[in-house]
Amino acid sequence: MLIEPVTLQNEFVRLVPFEIGGHAEALRDMAERSGQRLATWPFFNPPGDWISDWVKSIRKRTEAGTLVPFAVLASDGRFVGMSAYLNPDAASRNVEIGMTIYAPEFQGGATNPACKHLLLSHAFGQGAIRVYFNVDERNLRSRAAVMKLGATQEGVLRDNRILPDGFVRTTVVFSVLAREWPAVKAGLEARLSAFEDVNHG
């Protein structure tokens, strides 16, 4: 399994390797506009400059090879948000998809299924046998979105992470296995086809 920075694209979004110099300010602007929507975001810790700490974490983890981040762009080039592969394990052929965040105006439409279709397709195409998602127990919206993708809930990690604001988080773990991917892929493509019909109608 080889997980490296690449460009991935479909009709709805374009995923390009995240560049600190080119994308960090757009990320900052988007995060500031999102406000309390990010209340369960693992890096959210106002009133200080938590976004700079988040960007530093992105840089550090990217350099260490534990994060492969992407900037998400709309078909017209607008900055939509970001998503990433986390902790790729080549030996066990497992990788997490996470650190996903979209601007408020791109939530609830084709953006998330389009991004996840690209990231899942690429991971399984590179030989992954399991792709997983770790979601804050409080984030009901994200949990529902992952379930809607067709992922299976594996279990709950109780009090497994202390966040910057001191909150002790419980994490819900979901996954898609390689043998499940054909059915999950078909479901995602059916959802995206409905958005295509609307766009072309």
XYZ file of all heavy atoms in Angstrom, residues 27-28 30-31 38 41 43 49-59 82 99 101:
188
model
N -7.630 28.187 4.680
C -8.110 27.337 5.762
C -8.461 28.172 6.986
O -9.498 27.965 7.627
C -7.036 26.310 6.118
C -7.407 25.281 7.176
C -8.508 24.356 6.679
C -6.173 24.463 7.584
N -7.620 29.141 7.299
C -7.883 30.031 8.433
C -9.196 30.785 8.234
O -10.041 30.850 9.139
C -6.729 31.015 8.618
C -6.980 32.067 9.703
C -5.798 33.005 9.836
N -4.642 32.326 10.392
C -4.457 32.121 11.687
N -5.359 32.549 12.579
N -3.386 31.500 12.124
N -11.751 30.001 6.368
C -12.881 29.091 6.433
C -13.193 28.701 7.873
O -14.351 28.673 8.286
C -12.583 27.843 5.609
C -13.733 26.861 5.535
S -13.141 25.205 5.236
C -12.214 24.921 6.719
N -12.148 28.413 8.661
C -12.353 28.021 10.050
C -12.953 29.160 10.867
O -13.848 28.947 11.697
C -11.024 27.566 10.662
N -17.535 24.267 14.721
C -16.348 23.456 14.976
C -16.206 23.088 16.446
O -15.121 22.722 16.890
C -15.091 24.212 14.511
C -15.026 24.575 13.033
C -13.746 25.328 12.732
C -15.128 23.326 12.160
N -14.445 19.987 16.960
C -13.216 19.801 16.187
C -12.048 19.582 17.150
O -11.890 20.328 18.117
C -12.984 21.046 15.329
C -11.865 20.925 14.334
C -10.703 21.618 14.338
C -11.834 20.085 13.191
N -9.928 21.249 13.261
C -10.602 20.300 12.538
C -12.729 19.146 12.651
C -10.234 19.631 11.376
C -12.363 18.476 11.498
C -11.136 18.724 10.875
N -9.035 20.318 17.273
C -8.058 21.385 17.466
C -8.700 22.681 17.960
O -8.011 23.644 18.251
C -7.306 21.650 16.152
C -6.610 20.432 15.628
C -7.247 19.581 14.741
C -5.329 20.110 16.052
C -6.613 18.439 14.268
C -4.683 18.975 15.589
C -5.333 18.140 14.692
N -5.201 31.664 19.513
C -4.992 31.404 18.083
C -4.788 29.912 17.855
O -3.691 29.437 17.565
C -3.785 32.211 17.577
C -3.553 32.027 16.088
O -4.457 31.495 15.400
O -2.463 32.383 15.602
N -5.873 29.172 18.007
C -5.803 27.725 17.860
C -5.527 27.309 16.424
O -4.988 26.217 16.168
C -7.101 27.088 18.360
C -8.325 27.482 17.583
C -9.111 28.572 17.795
C -8.893 26.795 16.477
N -10.129 28.614 16.895
C -10.029 27.532 16.064
C -8.558 25.631 15.786
C -10.824 27.140 14.986
C -9.356 25.238 14.713
C -10.467 25.991 14.334
N -5.885 28.157 15.460
C -5.711 27.785 14.050
C -4.224 27.688 13.701
O -3.806 26.786 12.963
C -6.440 28.780 13.132
C -7.943 28.785 13.461
C -6.235 28.404 11.666
C -8.751 29.819 12.699
N -3.401 28.588 14.241
C -1.958 28.506 13.986
C -1.386 27.206 14.534
O -0.528 26.569 13.898
C -1.236 29.704 14.611
O -1.521 30.893 13.902
N -1.845 26.799 15.708
C -1.393 25.534 16.274
C -1.814 24.361 15.393
O -1.066 23.388 15.221
C -1.962 25.348 17.684
C -1.338 26.308 18.693
O -0.226 26.805 18.427
O -1.975 26.554 19.729
N -3.022 24.451 14.849
C -3.524 23.416 13.952
C -2.653 23.335 12.700
O -2.247 22.239 12.281
C -4.980 23.721 13.613
C -5.636 22.792 12.652
C -5.301 21.483 12.393
C -6.754 23.080 11.823
N -6.153 20.952 11.457
C -7.049 21.904 11.091
C -7.542 24.203 11.640
C -8.093 21.852 10.173
C -8.596 24.143 10.742
C -8.864 22.979 10.019
N -2.329 24.479 12.099
C -1.495 24.505 10.894
C -0.101 23.947 11.203
O 0.470 23.189 10.403
C -1.407 25.934 10.321
C -0.377 26.007 9.197
C -2.778 26.382 9.805
N 0.440 24.273 12.362
C 1.739 23.725 12.765
C 1.666 22.203 12.879
O 2.606 21.489 12.506
C 2.183 24.327 14.099
C 2.596 25.787 14.020
C 2.916 26.332 15.414
C 3.207 27.825 15.376
N 3.399 28.392 16.737
N 0.547 21.709 13.410
C 0.355 20.267 13.527
C 0.297 19.617 12.152
O 0.870 18.537 11.933
C -0.927 19.972 14.311
O -1.194 18.592 14.335
N -0.387 20.266 11.206
C -0.457 19.745 9.843
C 0.946 19.635 9.257
O 1.322 18.611 8.664
C -1.343 20.645 8.965
C -2.805 20.563 9.414
C -1.221 20.251 7.482
C -3.715 21.580 8.747
N 1.728 20.702 9.416
C 3.091 20.698 8.873
C 3.940 19.583 9.516
O 4.613 18.814 8.817
C 3.761 22.047 9.111
C 5.170 22.145 8.511
C 5.928 23.333 9.078
N 5.298 24.595 8.767
C 5.481 25.268 7.637
N 6.288 24.775 6.696
N 4.884 26.428 7.447
N -10.679 20.834 3.593
C -9.576 19.884 3.527
C -10.027 18.520 4.003
O -11.064 18.377 4.675
C -8.377 20.360 4.358
C -8.542 20.253 5.854
S -6.985 20.603 6.745
C -5.954 19.245 6.178
N -9.520 14.442 9.537
C -9.217 15.863 9.463
C -10.019 16.513 8.325
O -9.523 17.357 7.578
C -7.723 16.126 9.297
C -7.304 17.503 9.831
S -5.524 17.847 9.740
C -4.940 16.943 11.168
N -12.903 18.837 6.890
C -13.651 20.037 7.249
C -14.009 20.780 5.966
O -13.187 20.909 5.060
C -12.838 20.932 8.204
C -13.637 22.159 8.629
C -11.491 21.327 7.609
C -12.968 22.967 9.731
